[in-house]
Amino acid sequence: NIPLGIKYLETAADNDDDEALMQLGYLYFDGEKIEKNDQKAFPYFQKAAELGNGLAYVYLGLIYQGFNEQKSPLKDLKKALF
């Protein structure tokens, strides 16, 4: 049950659980179980990075690179390389 799982992940994310933030970000980034949306994935990865999750920086770089969405409003090659 994906909606219920997302609800539980959001509850954990609201309590600064970096793994829950990563899971939520990846759900939107990957788009296999829910609609792919980098703009929704981005804040989850950003918060996880702020909490010290190193893998979150990789996904932020991919979003800045335009890996999923070449015309993404988040695309910024300078930030992708920094």
Side-chain angles (χ1 to χ4, degrees), residues 38-40 42 63-65 71-76:
D38 283 356
Q39 290 182 348
K40 288 185 178 180
F42 185 85
I63 290 172
Y64 281 133
Q65 185 182 16
K71 295 184 179 188
S72 171
L74 298 170
K75 187 173 180 177
D76 185 331

Side-chain angles (χ1 to χ4, degrees), residues 65-82:
Q65 185 182 16
F67 181 80
N68 271 343
E69 302 174 28
Q70 288 299 314
K71 295 184 179 188
S72 171
L74 298 170
K75 187 173 180 177
D76 185 331
L77 294 180
K78 287 183 183 178
K79 287 183 179 178
L81 298 174
F82 185 60

Side-chain angles (χ1 to χ4, degrees), residues 2 6 27 30-35:
I2 300 300
I6 289 172
L27 280 169
D30 179 57
E32 185 176 322
K33 302 289 183 185
I34 58 177
E35 185 176 347

